[in-house]
Amino acid sequence: MNRLGIREIRLASGLVLLLFVLTHLTNHALGLVSIDAMERGLGWFKLIWRNPIATTLLYGAVLVHFLLGLYALYSRRTLRMPLRELAQITLGLVLPFLLVQHVAGTRITYALTGNEATYAGVIHNLWVTSPNAGLRQGLALLVVWLHGCLGVYFWLRHRPWFSQYSTLFYTVGLLVPLLALLGFAEAGKYLTAQGYEPPPRVEAALRGPIENALYLNLGGLIAATFAARLIRSYWIRSTQIEITYASGQVALVPQGFSVLEASRSANIPHVAVCGGRGRCSTCRVRVLKGLEDQPGPTPKERATLHRIKAADNVRLACQFRPVHALTVVPVLSAGRQRLLESQSRSARGREHVITVLFCDLRAFTALSERRLPFDIVFILNRYFDVVGHAVEETGGYVDKFIGDGALAIFGLEAAAQTAAKQAIAAAIRISEGVRDINRTYASELDRPLKLAMSLHTGPAIVGEMGYGPATHLTAVGDTINTASRLEGIAKDLDAELLISEEVTKAAKLTPTGLDLQSFSMRGRKAAIAAWIVRDTEGLARIFEDAAILA
Ligand code: FES
């Protein structure tokens, strides 16, 4: 079973458990209505979770999730990790101990004796008879929920749409445990006021040995996991390999470390914009010596290397785990200053849905051949002025000017819908600005300046990239390449602007009177649909919404 498969199974089992917890806590929240509502809710809860299929699924998920969690803990190369991850693992290890009494007193007792626990009985016990157990149960509720929420966060945080729905997630994450605790407290107060007396329970003698056995087994498994880590680290320390960098630095690491982990363990600066997930390719290294008999790329690494058309001796440092000594040179150089800068949020890079605007002057090379350099610089600066102002005033960021072309990014801060509208508004402004230049300098120009622009929306890796003073915030990924190719198509079609359908979908705008055509592109399996704008003069009317932004 590969690592990805294990991760997916752990996630699936975690989602089953989270669903169980969600229904259980919702049942607690019914205490805000009445104890009867809680008991009726319990009837539904049992109907869902006490049939043979759900019982098998639930017990299977508990076992699989716990054991795979321990396996993940064992597999980690290092226990150094971000605080959030440490919190999730610690909560996961503490949780079973907090739940032992509750599970033994309800589900296991029922399975062994057929004695059914009622809400009134359990809450009376936790609220009146043994409040310490009640506090422990309240803590368990918070721990299980937080552990689940962190799991969902780690799973979804890099999805392009996550930031759009994050407020909803946080609201649900806060309300569910809050309402559950309030329901529990309300029911406890009600039972106290009513002088409720629970029926005597006969299974106390049975529970003691069950709880002890559970504590012992859980503790034993966790201790065995840490012991296995110790044995493994002793073993790998005795099988270290040497990674030499072209700069002369050497990292001595245990077999199984990736080249990126080796760089980090030896404090050698190494760019890794996507954080080692094999997606951005910025960590890639050229292997100068020792590539023979090394393990080949995993499917994920192969796909990324194929996407960037890497040479045979190039590997992703974050994915490549060498088995014997080798010499490498990182393709993107990272100086000490960069490493310090990489502590900043933007330098770490993040995946973000952005709208990209490419714009270029058509046939400018021909024009520049017939003018004095001074004239060319003057006209280009007027044009750059137009582009810069249009982008910045509509909320975008000018990434770079190359020759007579420009690349601008929208959505670094704004939501995807706003970003798409801002980009359309910027294209309209650029077009108007260039028409102004043409009118103002009509006598100087042999023929009017003509634009070729493109807009495309999609996920991209955004972060600080470059070297030394040439480092700046930029974006990389398929979205940028697609936008660039759309601009080339706009030139071929003699159109002023191509707007991919992704942009209008993100902007929730439907243009009228424009042609939507599909274009196939080299290196892309699926064709891309784009609206063809021959002339942007009427565009502000077509996109009235976007024009308001402009
Ligand atoms: S860090 Fe992004 S691919 Fe390796």
Side-chain angles (χ1 to χ4, degrees):
M1 199 186 297
N2 62 33
R3 292 168 70 88
L4 190 65
I6 287 175
R7 207 174 273 182
E8 281 166 349
I9 293 170
R10 203 171 84 217
L11 173 67
S13 59
L15 288 175
V16 171
L17 296 178
L18 190 61
L19 187 62
F20 175 81
V21 171
L22 180 65
T23 46
H24 197 32
L25 298 195
T26 310
N27 203 164
H28 288 5
L30 288 177
L32 288 169
V33 180
S34 70
I35 196 89
D36 282 347
M38 279 178 122
E39 299 290 7
R40 276 201 301 279
L42 186 61
W44 284 101
F45 179 78
K46 285 176 185 166
L47 199 68
I48 298 170
W49 292 105
R50 283 263 174 100
N51 62 69
I53 297 174
T55 300
T56 312
L57 190 68
L58 181 64
Y59 288 169
V62 169
L63 198 65
V64 165
H65 198 68
F66 182 63
L67 292 180
L68 288 186
L70 290 183
Y71 177 72
L73 188 60
Y74 165 76
S75 310
R76 293 187 75 95
R77 296 282 154 206
T78 166
L79 288 181
R80 261 185 242 147
M81 62 188 94
L83 201 60
R84 294 186 284 212
E85 232 172 291
L86 182 67
Q88 201 210 12
I89 291 175
T90 311
L91 294 173
L93 291 177
V94 167
L95 184 58
F97 294 96
L98 289 173
L99 288 177
V100 161
Q101 280 186 356
H102 183 59
V103 175
T106 54
R107 192 100 186 189
I108 296 181
T109 300
Y110 168 75
L112 295 178
T113 66
N115 285 349
E116 190 71 271
T118 61
Y119 249 109
V122 173
I123 291 180
H124 183 274
N125 180 41
L126 296 175
W127 189 262
V128 182
T129 316
S130 77
N132 281 346
L135 281 177
R136 179 191 175 109
Q137 203 50 39
L139 182 65
L141 183 154
L142 293 176
V143 167
V144 72
W145 186 249
L146 194 56
H147 176 75
C149 287
L150 282 170
V152 170
Y153 170 74
F154 289 132
W155 173 39
L156 297 179
R157 66 182 161 160
H158 292 298
R159 308 291 153 125
W161 43 263
F162 181 72
S163 57
Q164 251 175 294
Y165 297 101
S166 56
T167 313
L168 180 67
F169 282 122
Y170 290 130
T171 309
V172 173
L174 198 68
L175 280 183
V176 169
L178 187 68
L179 294 177
L181 285 173
L182 288 176
F184 167 67
E186 208 47 49
K189 282 196 287 184
Y190 174 79
L191 291 173
T192 312
Q194 295 294 309
Y196 173 79
E197 277 303 326
R201 299 196 71 178
V202 291
E203 67 279 357
L206 187 69
R207 279 175 51 185
I210 294 174
E211 288 173 13
N212 288 342
L214 285 174
Y215 284 131
L216 214 63
N217 281 300
L218 288 169
L221 281 170
I222 293 171
T225 305
F226 281 100
R229 279 188 62 87
L230 275 178
I231 295 168
R232 189 199 54 192
S233 70
Y234 172 76
W235 181 76
I236 54 184
R237 238 178 259 134
S238 56
T239 55
Q240 287 190 319
I241 59 168
E242 198 174 85
I243 300 181
T244 308
Y245 293 76
S247 57
Q249 290 155 295
V250 175
L252 203 57
V253 289
Q255 211 180 83
F257 264 49
S258 70
V259 174
L260 182 63
E261 286 166 339
S263 303
R264 286 181 174 161
S265 74
N267 276 334
I268 296 170
H270 204 136
V271 183
V273 169
C274 74
R277 292 198 302 280
R279 299 168 74 158
C280 67
S281 85
T282 53
C283 66
R284 62 191 185 273
V285 290
R286 188 163 293 117
V287 182
L288 304 179
K289 239 195 297 177
L291 189 55
E292 327 67 52
D293 303 327
Q294 299 283 10
T298 59
K300 186 201 267 183
E301 182 185 358
R302 196 184 301 283
T304 304
L305 291 173
H306 178 74
R307 180 162 54 79
I308 59 166
K309 299 188 177 41
D312 289 346
N313 65 342
V314 169
R315 299 291 302 267
L316 296 186
C318 64
Q319 306 295 312
F320 178 28
R321 297 177 188 278
V323 293
H324 58 74
L326 78 170
T327 304
V328 298
V329 56
V331 174
L332 299 186
S333 174
R336 184 152 292 279
Q337 180 58 31
R338 263 201 58 80
L339 191 69
L340 293 174
E341 284 170 3
S342 74
Q343 305 304 318
S344 80
R345 182 175 150 72
S346 61
R348 282 202 301 271
R350 62 200 162 114
E351 197 172 55
H352 212 74
V353 173
I354 55 172
T355 296
V356 178
L357 181 152
F358 263 97
C359 87
D360 213 352
L361 286 177
R362 274 187 270 167
F364 191 74
T365 317
L367 175 81
S368 55
E369 277 163 7
R370 294 190 297 274
R371 311 294 306 181
L372 290 174
F374 175 81
D375 296 340
I376 298 303
V377 170
F378 178 81
I379 291 290
L380 272 182
N381 277 334
R382 298 286 78 70
Y383 158 68
F384 290 150
D385 215 37
V386 163
V387 175
H389 276 100
V391 170
E392 285 177 1
E393 284 164 12
T394 49
Y397 162 77
V398 180
D399 182 331
K400 54 179 81 75
F401 290 111
I402 310 162
D404 55 20
L407 160 62
I409 300 168
F410 296 79
L412 294 178
E413 300 301 333
Q417 184 183 8
T418 308
K421 285 182 174 182
Q422 288 172 335
I424 295 170
I428 294 169
R429 284 191 174 206
I430 292 170
S431 173
E432 286 168 354
V434 168
R435 275 200 297 278
D436 271 354
I437 294 177
N438 285 336
R439 271 192 296 273
T440 311
Y441 302 104
S443 55
E444 311 294 322
L445 296 165
D446 300 338
R447 56 181 164 199
L449 300 179
K450 282 180 88 178
L451 283 165
M453 295 187 283
S454 65
L455 298 175
H456 183 51
T457 298
I461 306 285
V462 178
E464 299 275 350
M465 294 177 224
Y467 177 69
T471 301
H472 74 292
L473 187 70
T474 187
V476 290
D478 185 55
T479 300
I480 318 295
N481 302 338
T482 304
S484 164
R485 285 182 193 149
L486 280 175
E487 189 220 66
I489 296 172
K491 272 187 192 152
D492 295 343
L493 295 176
D494 197 25
E496 190 166 2
L497 172 64
L498 247 64
I499 306 173
S500 79
E501 204 182 13
E502 303 305 320
V503 178
T504 48
K505 276 185 188 161
K508 297 195 172 55
L509 295 170
T510 312
T512 46
L514 292 182
D515 277 349
L516 182 68
Q517 270 188 33
S518 280
F519 302 97
S520 0
M521 287 178 188
R522 198 164 32 88
R524 262 186 84 99
K525 276 193 201 133
I528 185 143
W531 303 94
I532 303 170
V533 184
R534 299 277 168 202
D535 183 341
T536 53
E537 206 152 358
L539 200 61
R541 278 195 309 281
I542 294 169
F543 289 110
E544 274 173 15
D545 252 3
I548 291 165
L549 279 163

